[in-house]
Amino acid sequence: MASPPDIQDRTRAKKEVRRIKNLPTVPGIVAKISRIVENPETSVADVGRLISQDQVLSAKVLRMANSAFFGMSRKISSIPQALIILGFEVVKGLVLTSSVFDMIQKSMAGLWEHSIGCAAASGVIATYLGRDDAEEVLVAGLLHDLGKVVLALNLPAEMSLVREKVAQDRLYFHEAETQVLDFDHAEIGQWLAEHWNLPESLSEPMRLHHRPEKAVVKPEWTAIVHLADIIVRAIGFGNGGDLLVPEISPAAWSLLGLKKTDFLPILENLEPKLASLRDLTALA
Ligand SMILES: [Fe+2]
Ligand SMILES: [Fe+2]
């Protein structure tokens, strides 16, 4: 019996990604951290020590942890402290993000800025909605377009064709990717997230931020990231590759229970955060 088209696409995407040579250091450290964490004997201090061994990485993670993203009242000065205050999954998300974005060439600085903008917007929306998981939603926002990094680094010829199509045919980036590759960055992001043992709550927004109505694991997270992605594009903070700003999914909008009048306070909360995040773009 033939596999459903969705599975066929995923298999093809995985084959393409297997050709990838530029990623080993990222799964290396993340896989190592994941392995260590699975051992029940492991303490938070052990995990902290492992991350702390890489001083450049730790410095970047601490810089992000102390940035306007989280708005902590006290300074986080060590990785073990970050693990206690922010939680393991958040720190793992920061490790992953700062490692991956290290690989971004200067030409992709716009995507990095788009990603931190989307992270900040995700955190602002989650906080506005009174959620207590704003830090984790923020990491989902940070990671949402990770598939684009992988594609840009490994399939550069195809991606310049994608950019041409975006400009000439007035397509959304993910539509142009699907025309050129038969899959898009969301599919690649989901696969990488699984490969790196990220929780489904983080991989789902990576896969479904352009189709939030399909989310089932943490539909609110995907809806928030979807909305955050559109808001930062509309504001013009960073550049994820799109020239058009899509419509907000009505399903995501009603799931979050937002009204039109909520837009203004969300934007007012977001703007100072974006202003103070500009220095983080130097991380790339
Ligand atoms: Fe995207
Ligand atoms: Fe995006």
Side-chain angles (χ1 to χ4, degrees), residues 158-169:
E158 288 87 344
M159 294 322 278
S160 56
L161 207 59
V162 167
R163 278 190 294 276
E164 267 172 41
K165 272 191 175 292
V166 166
Q168 282 167 15
D169 303 343

Side-chain angles (χ1 to χ4, degrees), residues 29-165:
I29 182 133
V30 175
K32 203 167 164 190
I33 295 168
S34 299
R35 254 200 321 275
I36 287 195
V37 168
E38 276 157 27
N39 179 348
E41 314 256 294
T42 302
S43 68
V44 168
D46 294 332
V47 180
R49 249 195 310 278
L50 175 68
I51 302 174
S52 304
Q53 277 169 10
D54 187 330
Q55 289 186 357
V56 176
L57 181 63
S58 315
K60 287 181 177 173
V61 169
L62 287 176
R63 202 169 150 199
M64 282 202 260
N66 284 302
S67 71
F69 278 151
F70 296 107
M72 292 289 166
S73 52
R74 64 191 170 118
K75 200 166 159 48
I76 300 175
S77 55
S78 68
I79 294 288
Q81 196 191 1
L83 284 165
I84 291 163
I85 295 176
L86 298 174
F88 175 69
E89 290 304 339
V90 170
V91 172
K92 189 166 143 187
L94 293 181
V95 167
L96 180 62
T97 310
S98 59
S99 312
V100 170
F101 279 98
D102 264 352
M103 291 175 232
I104 288 192
Q105 293 105 337
K106 282 271 176 270
S107 62
M108 287 171 75
L111 179 60
W112 168 236
E113 215 174 16
H114 168 73
S115 303
I116 62 169
C118 184
S122 301
V124 163
I125 297 165
T127 305
Y128 182 79
L129 292 169
R131 301 182 63 91
D132 58 7
D133 54 6
E135 277 96 1
E136 285 131 305
V137 185
L138 181 153
V139 170
L142 201 53
L143 298 173
H144 80 287
D145 271 343
L146 206 58
K148 284 185 184 168
V149 181
V150 176
L151 291 174
L153 289 174
N154 293 281
L155 303 171
E158 288 87 344
M159 294 322 278
S160 56
L161 207 59
V162 167
R163 278 190 294 276
E164 267 172 41
K165 272 191 175 292

Side-chain angles (χ1 to χ4, degrees), residues 114 144-145 148 174 185-186 209-210 229 233:
H114 168 73
H144 80 287
D145 271 343
K148 284 185 184 168
H174 66 98
H185 65 278
H209 60 275
H210 298 295
D229 182 32
R233 287 203 228 173

Side-chain angles (χ1 to χ4, degrees), residues 120-121 124-125 127-129 262-274:
V124 163
I125 297 165
T127 305
Y128 182 79
L129 292 169
D262 292 316
F263 252 124
L264 193 61
I266 288 174
L267 289 180
E268 280 171 357
N269 293 344
L270 178 60
E271 262 162 21
K273 289 214 183 252
L274 291 183

Side-chain angles (χ1 to χ4, degrees), residues 148 162 166 171-180 182-186 209-211 229 233 241-242 246:
K148 284 185 184 168
V162 167
V166 166
L171 294 173
Y172 290 117
F173 201 83
H174 66 98
E175 292 173 337
E177 285 173 329
T178 306
Q179 282 196 7
V180 172
D182 259 348
F183 54 85
D184 65 9
H185 65 278
H209 60 275
H210 298 295
R211 297 180 292 154
D229 182 32
R233 287 203 228 173
D242 269 297

